[in-house]
Amino acid sequence: MKRRTLLATGAGAAAAAALGLPAQAQDKLKVGFVYVGPIGDGGWTYQHDQGRLAVEAAYGDRVETIYQESVPEGADAERVLTQMALGGAGLIFTTSFGFMDPTINVAAKFPNVKFEHATGYKRADNVATYDARFYEGRAVIGHIAGRMTKTNKIGYIASFPIPEVIQGINSYFLHARKVNPAVELTVVWAYTWFDPAKEADAAKAMLEQGVDVIAQHTDSTAPLAEMAKTEGVIGFGQASDMAAFKPSPRVASIIDNWAPYYVKRVGAVLDGTWTSTHTWGGMPEGEVEIGEITEAVPEDVRAEAQGMIDAITAGTYHPFTGPITKQDGTPFLAEGEVATDEQLVSMNFYVEGITGDIPS
Amino acid sequence: MTAGAGWIALAIVVFASWKPWRVLLGAYLFGGIAVLQLNLQAAGVKVPVEVLSMSPYLITILVLVIISSDRSRAALNAPAALGRVFHASS
C-alpha cells in the first residue's frame, strides 16, 4: 500500500468514525480483544482467548475477531484501542484492570463502537464492565491449603494492591484459618501480572521460608514449575486449569470461563440489544470453576471442597459471611452478615490474623 | 517488554566500565538485589513493600553515582568516541 493510500484510508476511517458511520459493511461484526499478556501464558490471557474462539465458533461468518497480545497498561493501550476502532471493530473487549482509563478515553472518541472492560468499575453509554467472583474460587483453594499444609505456612503471590486481589487474599486466608487455626499467611507483592522469572523467584523466596502451599494472583505457570522442584509442595492453577502440573504440585485450579459471557454479549450486539451493563458472575453462572481436585488431596478434603463448591453454586454460602474482623480489630461483618458487592469492590484492608501491611 | 530491567541493563554496562567480564559481576549484583527484595518480603521484614520494590532502582542510581564520582576514572574506561558527533571526513 502506498503511503498516500494509507493516509487516505486512515482519514476516511477517522471521518467515518467521527460521523458515526459504521466503518465496515453491516453484515459482519468485527470484535476486538486487547490482552495484557501473551496467549501462551497458559493462564489469564489464554482463557480470554478461549472465549474469543468460542465467539468464532458460535457465530461463524457473522463475526470476525481480532486481537492484540502483550499490550502495556497505559498510553500504549490507547493507541491499540484507537487502531482497532479505526480498523472497523464494532465491539472491543479490554481484558485487564489497567486498561480502564484508556478504554474510557478512547470510547469517548468513538461513540458508535461498543467497549467492554474486564474487572474495572468505570462505565459509559458505550462502555460496559464485567468481572468474575474469583474470591469464590479462593475460598475453596484456601480450604484445601489450610487442610493440606504441614508447616502451617501458606503463601500468596500478589500482583497489585487493588480490591480484587485483596478480596482473593482475604478469602484464601479466612478459609484456611477456619479449618486450621495455626495457619500463617505470607504475601509477596510481585507488582506484575505476567513476569515468569519474577513469579518463580517469588515462589522460591516463600519456599525458602518454609511455605508449603502457594496460591498465585499472577498469570504464568512459572510458580508451579518452581514448586515442582520441591517434594511435598503444592499450588493451584490460576485463571486456567494448568493441567500440565497435575497431579502435583497443581492439586486444584480456579478456572475463569469467559466464553458464555463473550458469546452472549457479541450476540447482543448482533441483534441490536446491547446496552452498557455491569456483570459480576461467579460459580452459579459458570464463570468461575474449580478444576479437577487431584488424588494428591485426601478424599475427605476433596469431599469438603466439593461441598463448598456446591454450596456457593447453589447460593447458600457466601465466602464473606460474618463474623469477620478487620486486621486492626474493628468489626467488618456481624455474625451471619453477608458482605455487599459495594463492600467487596472497595475492599482495602486485610482481615484479622494476616500480618504485614497492604502497600499503598 | 524488558519487565523494568531496561535501564538496569544500561547501568550494568557503565558499572562494568565497558568490560565484558565485569558485566557478569554486575548482573549478579543487580539480579541479586531483585531477588533479595522478594526474599525480604517473604521473610516478613518490617520494611514497606514500596521501598523493597523500588530497591533495585535505588541501588542502580546509588551505584552509578559512586562509579561516576571519580570523573577521570570513568572517562578512562568509556569508549573514546562515546557522545561525540560522527563526521566521515574527520
Side-chain angles (χ1 to χ4, degrees):
Chain A
M1 191 187 277
K2 284 204 180 90
R3 190 156 169 228
R4 189 172 296 167
T5 335
L6 180 73
L7 289 173
T9 317
L19 290 169
L21 300 169
Q24 291 273 312
Q26 288 269 352
D27 52 345
K28 206 167 195 180
L29 174 69
K30 202 184 243 191
V31 185
F33 291 81
V34 182
Y35 300 142
V36 72
I39 293 168
D41 68 355
W44 175 262
T45 295
Y46 175 79
Q47 286 302 119
H48 283 284
D49 199 61
Q50 290 295 305
R52 180 184 69 83
L53 295 174
V55 166
E56 285 196 337
Y59 298 107
D61 286 347
R62 295 173 67 197
V63 295
E64 179 193 347
T65 66
I66 50 170
Y67 62 85
Q68 177 93 48
E69 298 173 85
S70 300
V71 176
E73 298 180 317
D76 270 355
E78 283 198 31
R79 185 177 52 75
V80 170
L81 280 166
T82 305
Q83 266 175 2
M84 275 191 181
L86 288 175
L91 174 64
I92 300 174
F93 292 96
T94 56
T95 66
S96 188
F97 181 78
F99 297 148
M100 181 161 67
D101 288 334
T103 303
I104 293 292
N105 292 346
V106 176
K109 293 177 201 153
F110 296 93
N112 284 7
V113 178
K114 293 166 180 67
F115 294 82
E116 297 243 1
H117 176 239
T119 74
Y121 53 82
K122 291 186 182 171
R123 281 174 288 280
D125 284 344
N126 60 334
V127 183
T129 52
Y130 61 105
D131 201 349
R133 297 180 186 268
F134 308 114
Y135 65 84
E136 295 179 347
R138 299 286 178 202
V140 177
I141 66 168
H143 180 95
I144 297 172
R147 295 281 264 120
M148 294 289 286
T149 177
K150 294 181 197 72
T151 60
N152 288 333
K153 287 182 178 175
I154 61 171
Y156 199 103
I157 304 171
S159 39
F160 294 96
I162 58 173
E164 179 204 317
V165 176
I166 294 165
Q167 285 160 25
I169 296 171
N170 283 337
S171 179
Y172 177 69
F173 176 76
L174 278 171
H175 293 85
R177 238 316 140 88
K178 203 174 265 182
V179 291
N180 182 351
V183 87
E184 298 286 339
L185 176 69
T186 302
V187 180
V188 169
W189 295 92
Y191 278 97
T192 179
W193 292 114
F194 177 79
D195 183 344
K198 200 167 186 182
E199 292 171 49
D201 283 342
K204 201 174 187 174
M206 288 199 271
L207 295 179
E208 284 167 4
Q209 296 296 327
V211 170
D212 66 349
V213 185
I214 300 176
Q216 62 180 91
H217 213 122
T218 49
D219 302 348
S220 88
T221 56
L224 284 171
E226 187 62 42
M227 285 178 239
K229 295 176 190 165
T230 313
E231 188 77 19
V233 172
I234 59 164
F236 307 93
Q238 163 66 5
S240 191
D241 197 30
M242 302 193 177
F245 296 92
K246 276 184 195 174
S248 188
R250 173 232 169 271
V251 298
S253 61
I254 302 175
I255 302 171
D256 312 344
N257 182 10
W258 304 105
Y261 181 77
Y262 285 162
V263 169
K264 191 176 104 188
R265 298 300 280 174
V266 170
V269 174
L270 285 172
D271 61 25
T273 57
W274 190 96
T275 52
S276 169
T277 51
H278 175 62
T279 308
W280 200 12
M283 286 185 183
E285 295 81 6
E287 226 173 281
V288 175
E289 297 170 356
I290 299 295
E292 185 208 345
I293 304 173
T294 67
E295 63 269 29
V297 178
E299 207 176 323
D300 55 331
V301 180
R302 256 185 287 168
E304 290 162 15
Q306 190 56 49
M308 191 186 284
I309 296 167
D310 293 343
I312 296 174
T313 307
T316 54
Y317 178 64
H318 191 294
F320 286 100
T321 303
I324 297 175
T325 310
K326 296 183 187 180
Q327 187 187 39
D328 61 12
T330 59
F332 171 51
L333 297 172
E335 176 84 40
E337 194 186 350
V338 169
T340 63
D341 283 358
E342 288 70 32
Q343 283 173 315
L344 293 175
V345 298
S346 60
M347 189 172 271
N348 60 354
F349 56 85
Y350 281 152
V351 293
E352 190 177 39
I354 300 180
T355 51
D357 299 316
I358 299 170
S360 50
Chain B
M1 194 68 81
T2 54
W7 280 105
I8 291 181
L10 292 178
I12 289 175
V13 174
V14 179
F15 171 79
S17 340
W18 289 270
K19 300 254 192 320
W21 286 107
R22 290 191 200 168
V23 168
L24 193 65
L25 190 74
Y28 264 104
L29 174 73
F30 288 104
I33 290 160
V35 172
L36 180 70
Q37 70 96 356
L38 293 171
N39 276 279
L40 290 175
Q41 280 195 49
V45 174
K46 290 263 170 254
V47 178
V49 175
E50 298 91 320
V51 175
L52 289 175
S53 291
M54 70 170 89
S55 63
Y57 309 100
L58 291 179
I59 301 286
T60 303
I61 294 170
L62 193 71
V63 165
L64 287 185
V65 166
I66 293 169
I67 295 276
S68 58
S69 61
D70 188 344
R71 184 175 285 272
S72 59
R73 255 192 66 212
L76 197 68
N77 289 316
L82 191 69
R84 295 218 184 134
V85 180
F86 175 73
H87 285 294
S89 56
S90 64

